[in-house]
Amino acid sequence: MIYRDERGVEYVPVPLPTHEVTDAVAVDARRVTRSTVRKPAPVYTGADGAELAAQPRNHRRHWTDRQWLAFEEHLRLEVDLAKGDAPAAAVWVVRPHDRGSA
């Protein structure tokens, strides 16, 4: 989604590494475009854990035992690697250029 504030500055939200379900944009920004509906992805038949984690949740009912094992192993590895990571966030401040004040 793209947001635009009353001055006309457009903001593209950046997902933050938190468990919140909000977009970080300006307070006075309003949504101007919606996400388009995508064509459904075909069911993945491989056993790559990272690829399986990226698949839609409704595909999980079609997974084999081998795919479930690869997915669970991938989740365990991700948790082990993330234990030492400190939370991080970034903020971009967008200001309009004032050309008439100089």
Side-chain angles (χ1 to χ4, degrees):
M1 286 188 266
I2 298 176
Y3 295 86
R4 184 178 298 134
D5 66 7
E6 49 193 38
R7 296 179 310 269
V9 177
E10 289 188 354
Y11 300 87
V12 178
V14 177
L16 298 174
T18 64
H19 298 291
E20 298 177 10
V21 281
T22 58
D23 293 330
V25 295
V27 175
D28 60 347
R30 291 189 169 66
R31 184 175 20 186
V32 291
T33 61
R34 293 184 179 266
S35 303
T36 59
V37 177
R38 295 183 181 168
K39 185 177 174 182
V43 177
Y44 179 66
T45 57
D48 179 28
E51 181 66 30
L52 288 166
Q55 296 299 311
R57 291 181 66 91
N58 63 354
H59 286 198
R60 294 180 183 180
R61 63 180 158 208
H62 303 290
W63 287 356
T64 62
D65 291 339
R66 183 171 157 247
Q67 288 175 314
W68 274 108
L69 289 172
F71 175 70
E72 290 169 357
E73 181 182 356
H74 172 74
L75 290 182
R76 269 188 259 117
L77 287 173
E78 288 291 319
V79 168
D80 289 345
L81 291 174
K83 281 184 181 175
D85 293 346
V91 176
W92 287 74
V93 178
V94 178
R95 294 189 179 131
H97 294 289
D98 256 353
R99 293 179 187 239
S101 64

